[in-house]
Amino acid sequence: MRSTFHGLEVSKRGLFAQQSALNTTGHNISNANTEGYTRQRANMQATTGIPYPGMFANVEPGLLGTGVNVVSLQRLREDFLDVQYRNEHKRQGYWDGRLETLEKLEGIMNEPSDTGLQKVMDQMWQSWQDLAKDPTNTSARAVVRERSKAFADTLNSTYKHLEEVQRDLNNVIGVKAMEINSLGEQIASLNRQIADVVPHGYVPNDLYDQRDVLLDKLSKLVEIRTTPGASGTVNVTIEGRDFVNGAQSQPVATQQNANGLFDLTIAGAAFIPTTGYMAGVYESRSQIVPNLMHRLDVLAVNLTKEINDLHRQGVSLNDIKNGTAQDLPFFVDASTPAGGKDYPKGAGTIRIHPDILGSLDAIAAGQPEPGGNTAGNNKNALAIAAIKFTVIQPGPGPMDLKESSSLDDYYRYTIGQLGIDTQEAKRNLQNSEMIVGTIDNHRQSISGVSIDDEMAELVKFQHAYSASARMMTSIDEILDKVINGMGRVGL
Amino acid sequence: MAIRVTQNMLNNNMLRNLHQSMRHMDKLQEQLSSGKKVSRPSDDPVVATRGMFYRSSLMEVEQYQRNVDDAESWVELTDKTLDEVGNVMQRISELLVYSGDGALSSSDLQAMAQEVAQLKEHLGTLANQQLNGKYIFGGSATNIAPYNPAAPTVSGGVGDFTSTNSEEVNLEVSQNVFVGININAQNVFNYPNNAGNMFNVLDQILNTLNAGKSAASFGTAIKDQFDNLLSERAILGAKANRIELVKDRLSVQEVNVTGLMSKNEDADSAKVITELKSQENVHRAALGAGARIIQPTLLDFLR
C-alpha cells in the first residue's frame, strides 16, 4: 500500500537523480579539455517497487514504482584501446628518439654540400695533383699542407661534434630516468589514494583518469606492462621487472660505467631498454653515434696510412738538400711524442706531422731516382693523388675495412647508410604517429567529451528535472485538495 | 560501431592535417629556394650519394683539365723552342755552305765564326728555356740549368749541355692516364752523345773557321743534328695531338657529368611550383574547413 506522500517521494527522487545527472554533465563539460579525462555517465535505475494489491480484483498484487536512483557514475572507457595505445605509443617514442639523433647526425655530416668532408677530401687530392704539376713550387706545397690541414681539422671537429652528441644523449638518458621515476612515484601515490577509498565503496573515476594519463606518458618512454592489483590499484613492470607495485615504486637508476656513460638499473638489476623513447636514445648513444664515429676512424686510419706509407718512401726537397732520407709520415697521431712517427689512431686525433708544419720543403713530392734525386720528380705526388681511387682490401682487424672499396666509396656508403637509417626512422615515426592518432581517435570516440552531446543531455535532464518539479506541484495540489479542500461541506 | 565524433577529435585531426600540409609545403619551398631535390641524405639516399659522386667526378675532371692545360702550354713552348733551334741549325748550314766558297778570306771566315759563336750562345739560351721558372729541358731536375755556358767542351771550347737527366715528368690527365709533358732533352741536345752533341759540333766549326779554313765538311754533322731534331719534333707533335684529344674528351666529360648531376639532383622548378600551388590550395581548403567545423556547437543554437 502506498503512503499518502508517495508521489512527493517519487518526485523528489526524480529531482535528485536528474540533478546529479545534470551535475555529471556539468563535470563533463568542465573537463572537455582536460588531458586524459574520460566522460562520465550517471547510470539511473528505477528503485524497487512496492506491492500494490488491487482493491477490487482478486489477483496477485502489482508493483508500484517508487522512482529513480543514480546507481553509478560510470567512466566510459575501453581498456583494450589503452593497451593498443600504449603499445603503439612506445614504438612512436622509439622512432622519435632515433630520428632526433639521426637528424642531428645528418646536420653534422652536412652532405651532400660544398662544405662537407667529401669536398675537403676532393680538394686535398686536387692539391696533390697541383703539386705534381709543379713539385718545386712553394705555393703548391703550401696548398697541399693547408688542404691536408683542412681535412684533418674537418675530421677532428666532426669527431668532436659526435662526441658532444653522445654526451648529450647520455644526459638525456639521465633526465629521462628521472622522469620515469617521477611518473612511477605519481602512479604509486595515486594507487595509494585509490586503495584508500575503493574498499569503502567509492569509485574514484578522476583518480583513475589521472593514473591513465601517467601510464600513457610512461608508455612513450619505456616498455611497460600493467596488471590490475588489489583495491583498484595497478601494478606496472618495465622490461618485465617490477616497477610500481601498489603504493611502492622501484627507482630506475643510472650508473656510470667504465666509459663514463650511463648504464640503467631497476631495483639494482641492470637492464637495456628495448623500446620506447628511452631505447631510441639508448641505442643512439650506444650504437648509432659510436658506429658513425668508428666509420670515421676507419676512414681516417686507412687514408692516412696510405698517404703515410707513400710519403715515407718519397723524397722531399729537404732530403735532396741534406742528402738523407727523412722517412717522414705525413699525418701523425696527436699523442705522438716529439720526433715520433705514430700513425693516426682515429679521426679525432689526426694531425699533420710537425716537421711538415715547420717546413714546406719536408713534403715529399718525388720518388728516389737511380741517378740521384731531383727536385722536379713528381712521382710521389701523383701516387698520393691516386689514393683517391685505390681500392683498399678488407682485413680482420678492428680498423680494417670489411669490404673492399675505395675510401671515397667507403665514405659515400657511410653517408648513404645514414640517409637510409634516417629515412627509415622518419617513415616509421610517421606511421606510428598515424596509428597512435587513429587509436587515440577511437579512444576519444568512446571517452571524449562532445559539447553537442553534453548540451543535448543538459536539455534532456533539465526537462526531466522540470517535469519532476511539475509532478511535485501536482502532488502538492492534490494533497492541498485532500487536506484543505475535502470534508468541508457545510463549513 | 558508429564513430562518435567529439570537438577534440576534430581539433586534433585538423591540427594533424594542417601540420602535414605545412610540412609538405615546407619541403616544396625548400626545394624551390635551393633548386635541389634533396638537401639531406634522408631525402633520398641514392640521389644524395650519387650527388656526392658526381661532385667528386666534376672536381676530378676540372683538375684533369687544369693538368691538360699545363701539359699543353709545356708542349707548346717545347715545340716553339725546338722550332727556334731548327732555325739556328738552318742558319748554320747556310753558313757552312757559304764557308766552302774558296774566294773567302780568312777574315771573312773569322767574321763567320763570330756569327756561329753568337748562334751557339743563342742555342744555349734555348736549351735553358724556362716555363714558370722551370727548365723544360732538364728532365726531372727542373731547377738546374741543363746548359752551362762555362762548361768546357770536348773540342776545347766552353759552353756545353751538361744535364744527363732523361727522366720523364708525367701528369695525370685522366684517371690512370699519364702524359709525359717534357721531351727527352738528351735525344736533342746530347745527340748522339755528349762528346758529339750540337754544341761540340759548333765548337769544332768555330775552331775550323777561326783557323781560317772552310767548315763545309761539317755539313753532314749538322744535317744529322737537324734530322734528329725533326724526328724529335715529330714525337712531340704526336704528344700534342694526344693531349688535344684528351682535352676534347675531358670537355665532353665535363658536360656529361654536369648534365648527370643536374638530372640527378636539380629540382624541376615548374613541377615544384605547380605542386606548391596545389598544396597551397589544399592548405587553404583545410584552413577553411577547420574554421567552419570547429566553430559551432549545439550551444550556439540554444541561446
Side-chain angles (χ1 to χ4, degrees), chain A residues 31-34 39 78 103 106 111-114 118-119 122-123 125-127 129-130 132-136 317 369-370 372 374-379 382 385-386 388-389 408-409 411-413 415-420 422-423 426 430 433-434 436-438 440-442 444-456 459, chain B residues 1-13 16 20 23 27 38-60 62-64 66-68 70-71 74 131-134 138-144 165 167-173 175-176 178 181 265 296-299 302:
Chain A
N31 284 295
N33 291 324
T34 305
R39 77 185 160 112
E78 218 166 281
E103 281 188 333
E106 273 194 332
E111 299 282 4
S113 75
D114 290 333
Q118 175 82 60
K119 180 83 175 187
D122 283 343
Q123 284 179 334
W125 301 129
Q126 273 198 335
S127 70
Q129 286 271 1
D130 281 332
K133 279 197 306 191
D134 214 346
T136 49
L317 292 183
E369 289 171 34
T374 52
N377 187 307
N378 66 356
K379 288 190 176 137
L382 283 178
K388 182 176 202 281
F389 303 107
D408 249 28
D409 276 342
Y411 180 62
R412 270 197 295 273
Y413 171 74
I415 297 298
Q417 189 62 48
L418 179 63
I420 290 168
T422 315
Q423 205 182 29
K426 222 181 256 180
Q430 265 172 20
E433 270 172 358
M434 218 187 67
V436 167
T438 310
D440 198 38
N441 269 350
H442 275 280
Q444 286 287 319
S445 168
I446 289 167
S447 308
V449 175
S450 153
I451 304 284
D452 291 346
D453 258 10
E454 301 306 322
M455 290 309 294
V459 171
Chain B
M1 179 181 71
I3 285 256
R4 197 175 144 269
V5 182
T6 70
Q7 272 73 28
N8 271 333
M9 277 164 78
L10 287 178
N11 258 325
N12 290 343
N13 286 347
R16 202 164 28 238
Q20 208 162 4
R23 197 155 46 206
K27 186 84 239 163
V38 300
S39 45
R40 278 176 290 276
S42 57
D43 289 343
D44 189 333
V46 177
V47 170
T49 48
R50 217 186 275 154
M52 285 167 75
F53 176 73
Y54 287 141
R55 269 157 221 264
S56 204
S57 300
L58 199 60
M59 282 185 79
E60 283 157 26
E62 277 166 13
Q63 182 64 38
Y64 292 144
R66 290 222 297 264
N67 292 359
V68 161
D70 261 37
W74 190 296
L131 179 68
N132 296 331
K134 284 169 294 182
S140 65
T142 51
N143 54 343
I144 300 164
N165 190 316
E167 282 288 324
E168 202 176 9
V169 174
N170 285 314
L171 284 188
E172 197 172 9
V173 289
Q175 195 184 334
N176 256 328
F178 296 91
I181 49 172
E265 61 185 44
T297 64
L298 190 52
L299 191 68
L302 281 173

Side-chain angles (χ1 to χ4, degrees), chain A residues 12-284:
Chain A
K12 188 191 81 184
R13 286 184 183 177
L15 285 176
F16 281 171
Q18 302 309 326
Q19 193 160 38
S20 84
L22 274 172
N23 281 336
T24 306
T25 306
H27 187 51
N28 283 344
I29 294 173
S30 310
N31 284 295
N33 291 324
T34 305
E35 189 191 6
Y37 179 79
T38 309
R39 77 185 160 112
Q40 297 174 10
R41 186 169 61 196
N43 287 327
M44 293 184 219
Q45 206 176 47
T47 46
T48 322
I50 51 174
Y52 193 79
M55 274 174 94
F56 306 106
N58 188 17
V59 288
E60 289 296 306
L63 272 182
L64 179 68
T66 56
V68 71
N69 216 351
V70 171
V71 288
S72 65
L73 291 175
Q74 191 193 348
R75 223 160 57 112
L76 294 166
R77 198 171 176 103
E78 218 166 281
D79 292 344
F80 172 63
L81 287 174
D82 285 341
V83 174
Q84 272 193 334
Y85 180 87
R86 287 169 196 160
N87 260 337
E88 203 52 48
H89 207 207
K90 70 185 177 196
R91 237 160 262 150
Q92 186 192 343
Y94 173 72
W95 292 112
D96 205 12
R98 273 178 83 99
L99 184 62
E100 269 175 29
T101 310
L102 286 164
E103 281 188 333
K104 237 180 254 173
L105 297 185
E106 273 194 332
I108 290 172
M109 298 315 289
N110 191 21
E111 299 282 4
S113 75
D114 290 333
T115 47
L117 183 64
Q118 175 82 60
K119 180 83 175 187
V120 175
M121 278 205 289
D122 283 343
Q123 284 179 334
M124 179 171 71
W125 301 129
Q126 273 198 335
S127 70
W128 282 103
Q129 286 271 1
D130 281 332
L131 180 62
K133 279 197 306 191
D134 214 346
T136 49
N137 189 327
T138 318
S139 60
R141 287 168 177 273
V143 173
V144 166
R145 189 170 71 183
E146 290 316 308
R147 291 279 154 84
S148 305
K149 214 157 117 189
F151 170 69
D153 288 350
T154 307
L155 272 181
N156 289 168
S157 77
T158 308
Y159 203 78
K160 202 168 286 163
H161 267 121
L162 293 181
E163 279 176 337
E164 273 165 23
V165 169
Q166 196 183 26
R167 247 196 323 272
D168 266 9
L169 289 169
N170 199 47
N171 288 337
V172 170
I173 289 176
V175 172
K176 288 292 164 190
M178 286 196 280
E179 196 176 321
I180 290 172
N181 286 337
S182 151
L183 288 170
E185 279 159 24
Q186 291 178 61
I187 292 169
S189 136
L190 281 167
N191 266 347
R192 187 181 309 117
Q193 292 176 48
I194 289 167
D196 280 349
V197 296
V198 165
H200 302 294
Y202 292 103
V203 184
N205 282 334
D206 299 328
L207 294 181
Y208 288 148
D209 279 350
Q210 284 176 35
R211 195 176 59 189
D212 279 333
V213 172
L214 294 175
L215 286 169
D216 282 352
K217 281 188 181 159
L218 188 61
S219 75
K220 189 177 184 181
L221 292 173
V222 277
E223 200 274 331
I224 58 163
R225 212 143 283 192
T226 56
T227 43
S231 308
T233 58
V234 68
N235 296 326
V236 185
T237 59
I238 288 181
E239 301 283 347
R241 292 177 175 83
D242 280 350
F243 176 54
V244 177
N245 202 335
Q248 296 296 319
S249 74
Q250 307 279 352
V252 169
T254 48
Q255 234 164 22
Q256 229 167 31
N257 62 21
N259 301 323
L261 299 174
F262 288 141
D263 282 339
L264 290 169
T265 61
I266 184 161
F271 79 99
I272 291 169
T274 54
T275 182
Y277 185 83
M278 191 64 142
V281 176
Y282 196 89
E283 278 177 21
S284 297

